[in-house]
Amino acid sequence: MRIYERLGEGFREGGPDYLPSLAVFHCRWCFPDAERVRAMLPERAAEKALLVRVDCTARIEAEFVAKAFSEGYDGLLVLGCELGECHHLTGNHRALKRFALLRNMLSLLGIYPERLRLMLVPPFDEELVRASISEYVSELGELGSFRYLG
Amino acid sequence: MEERREEQARERARSMLLSGEARAVLGLRGGRGQVLPYLFSRPEELGDLSLSGIYPLAKVALRLLEKWEGGRLAVVSRGCDERHFVELEKKNALDTRRVALIGVACTEEEARECGCSRPYPNQVDAGHPLADADFFDRRELEELLGMKVSERRRYWTEVLSRCIKCYGCRNSCPLCNCVDCRLEESRWVRVGEIPPEYPSFHLIRAFHLADKCVDCGACERACPMHIPIRRLHRLIGEEMKRLFDYRAGRDAGEKSPLLTDLEEGPFTTEGEDEVARFMEAVAREVGWVGL
């Protein structure tokens, strides 16, 4: 089922009030609890966010990103451990390099790279995480719908 | 000139066959109104060896070596073919001890037709390398880079909507040789639908090739819908150079920057070592790591 069929009346095609749909991938080692992650999202965005727990940020391949966008999600957020804290030692290094390239690739293909965000954050500083997510969501809102604007 | 080059290649092939350095030579056979890949196993046949076509022979060599138990295979290879073999070696896709290369430098005409940036292999057995000459026309890239993101989206959705998902780009690419191709899995690319969803098919393929693509142009030549897919790969290759100072096909000892191993060791952005500084630079470049 495509996301915009599921969105119902909340779906608008962009503009200042636009509420973006989010795909959130969270590392199981620093953000094990999906409900806790959902609670950290801005209230209305949380309702239509898709949460996926992954074993490591390095698990997130280009396929995931491609699928999220082709299914119509407006943004893809990845929450992972800080550098040096990875359970698999270098998993987040790999993710960092991969996402650096992916963001450039998205831009070359005509997708705003801001739609893809990797946050390597301290999981216990909840306020910080919450604040940066809401900043990201409002940025996404300004970009508008992926389907509509690009 | 051209005949001399062909003669040099034939001579090298003949001596390899006669000395037993190679059991057979893979090259192109002409002289019958068409030029096709052919496995020359007897020296007498080598008169038909032609250099007049451009064909990704590494793909053929891979398939042959899978089935063929015999000795070494010599492959007539241009610069791009040699770079294919470098990448295949990196990926452990073939046993390099079983392959010998007969290096052919391209003529200016061929290089111009291909828009090649390095129209000669490291080891040249036939022809003269056109060093320090770049035949690639950057204007089409500049045009794309000059666009706004939304304009690029319009450009690519329009161009990629021509795709009939024939998999020609994948099938012609010597570096696309996974046993199970992600592009065939319904989970990632919907089956039986054309054109494929933007950006799924092309983003996935482009990413898989990001650290391998040697810009040979086989995908674009194979595309029946004339999708200028090569310029995307070329742009990504330039990003790889800018971000990681990495260029595919340069040296088999070079590791892809997209991989990590445990020897890399855990590090932080505050570290002193080179890797840490590099990571910090990457993080700053994209301006979003941490907070």
Side-chain angles (χ1 to χ4, degrees):
Chain A
M1 184 167 48
R2 302 202 192 167
I3 179 73
Y4 38 85
E5 289 160 10
R6 193 147 33 100
L7 294 178
E9 40 188 75
F11 180 64
R12 248 174 266 126
E13 288 196 321
D17 305 329
Y18 179 68
L19 192 67
S21 56
L22 268 183
V24 185
F25 291 80
H26 53 102
C27 161
R28 66 169 286 192
W29 299 101
C30 52
F31 294 96
D33 187 357
E35 285 318 306
R36 204 182 133 234
V37 174
R38 198 182 286 279
M40 283 192 292
L41 299 175
E43 205 175 312
R44 280 181 60 222
E47 289 169 25
K48 56 177 181 179
L50 169 82
L51 270 76
V52 182
R53 193 172 78 163
V54 288
D55 273 354
C56 182
T57 44
R59 177 69 186 89
I60 300 155
E61 301 170 43
E63 285 87 333
F64 294 30
V65 178
K67 180 150 183 169
F69 288 125
S70 62
E71 297 244 320
Y73 284 95
D74 300 321
L76 193 142
L77 172 66
V78 178
L79 293 167
C81 313
E82 285 180 289
L83 288 181
E85 304 287 327
C86 181
H87 179 81
H88 306 280
L89 304 179
T90 54
N92 52 9
H93 301 182
R94 197 186 271 221
L96 182 58
K97 293 191 276 188
R98 185 182 290 163
F99 278 72
L101 177 66
L102 262 173
R103 273 171 67 104
N104 284 313
M105 283 178 57
L106 288 182
S107 160
L108 290 173
L109 270 167
I111 298 170
Y112 287 99
E114 292 83 358
R115 293 189 182 279
L116 179 64
R117 180 90 122 221
L118 175 67
M119 283 184 193
L120 304 178
V121 288
F124 300 110
D125 197 343
E126 208 166 294
E127 232 163 81
L128 199 67
V129 180
R130 202 186 283 274
S132 53
I133 293 179
S134 79
E135 193 193 310
Y136 168 62
V137 172
S138 66
E139 258 176 57
L140 272 184
E142 274 164 40
L143 285 178
S145 162
F146 173 76
R147 286 282 161 189
Y148 182 59
L149 296 166
Chain B
M1 186 61 203
E2 171 64 16
E3 273 149 35
R4 200 174 129 56
R5 189 175 66 139
E6 272 186 350
E7 210 36 65
Q8 282 172 328
R10 280 177 200 144
E11 206 38 63
R12 178 87 185 103
R14 188 169 295 127
S15 76
M16 282 175 120
L17 281 182
L18 290 175
S19 68
E21 210 179 320
R23 276 282 301 280
V25 176
L26 178 64
L28 295 174
R29 184 167 75 161
R32 284 167 174 72
Q34 53 184 356
V35 180
L36 287 171
Y38 184 73
L39 192 65
F40 300 89
S41 51
R42 281 170 314 188
E44 327 60 285
E45 295 174 315
L46 285 168
D48 285 341
L49 181 70
S50 167
L51 296 181
S52 62
I54 293 163
Y55 193 96
L57 282 173
K59 188 94 183 181
V60 185
L62 260 186
R63 291 289 158 274
L64 272 176
L65 288 169
E66 257 171 39
K67 306 273 182 212
W68 188 43
E69 298 289 310
R72 259 167 125 207
L73 180 69
V75 185
V76 179
S77 46
R78 297 171 185 274
C80 47
D81 296 317
E82 190 193 68
R83 292 189 281 278
H84 287 148
F85 282 110
V86 167
E87 282 303 305
L88 290 171
E89 183 182 348
K90 262 187 220 173
K91 302 285 181 269
N92 266 335
L94 92 180
D95 184 356
T96 44
R97 285 167 306 181
R98 296 185 60 202
V99 178
L101 301 183
I102 300 173
V104 178
C106 292
T107 61
E108 191 175 329
E109 196 187 319
E110 286 167 343
R112 209 173 287 285
E113 194 189 317
C114 269
C116 189
S117 293
R118 201 175 182 279
Y120 55 92
N122 289 331
Q123 172 215 329
V124 181
D125 295 309
H128 289 287
L130 295 161
D132 305 320
D134 192 338
F135 296 95
F136 188 75
D137 183 7
R138 278 196 60 83
R139 272 175 308 179
E140 52 194 40
L141 299 191
E142 298 298 343
E143 188 194 330
L144 263 175
L145 287 172
M147 288 181 187
K148 280 188 276 181
V149 179
S150 51
E151 288 167 347
R152 275 203 290 270
R153 170 137 176 201
R154 197 164 306 129
Y155 172 82
W156 282 116
T157 40
E158 208 172 289
V159 162
L160 296 178
S161 68
R162 300 206 294 258
C163 179
I164 54 167
K165 227 165 78 176
C166 66
Y167 290 87
C169 46
R170 181 201 64 177
N171 295 346
S172 64
C173 181
L175 301 169
C176 253
N177 49 40
C178 298
V179 178
D180 296 313
C181 180
R182 287 288 171 86
L183 300 177
E184 286 175 10
E185 286 177 18
S186 58
R187 174 172 295 152
W188 305 117
V189 179
R190 250 176 273 160
V191 175
E193 255 178 51
I194 57 165
E197 292 248 301
Y198 169 87
S200 64
F201 185 97
H202 298 94
L203 176 63
I204 292 171
R205 201 181 107 82
F207 185 82
H208 284 192
L209 284 171
D211 57 347
K212 299 183 197 134
C213 179
V214 298
D215 193 34
C216 68
C219 46
E220 197 169 300
R221 279 198 297 275
C223 183
M225 303 311 284
H226 306 290
I227 295 172
I229 197 71
R230 183 177 170 196
R231 63 183 69 169
L232 177 65
H233 289 300
R234 177 86 188 195
L235 283 167
I236 293 167
E238 288 181 6
E239 286 300 327
M240 291 293 287
K241 178 89 178 100
R242 198 171 60 85
L243 280 175
F244 306 115
D245 193 23
Y246 174 84
R247 183 153 280 167
R250 216 163 32 179
D251 173 16
E254 224 175 356
K255 205 179 76 173
S256 160
L258 296 178
L259 304 174
T260 53
D261 53 36
L262 294 180
E263 278 161 33
E264 193 169 293
F267 52 76
T268 64
T269 43
E270 285 119 45
E272 287 276 301
D273 62 295
E274 207 180 310
V275 197
R277 272 202 301 279
F278 164 73
M279 290 302 281
E280 205 187 324
V282 174
R284 217 179 304 118
E285 160 84 25
V286 287
W288 87 103
V289 69
L291 296 162

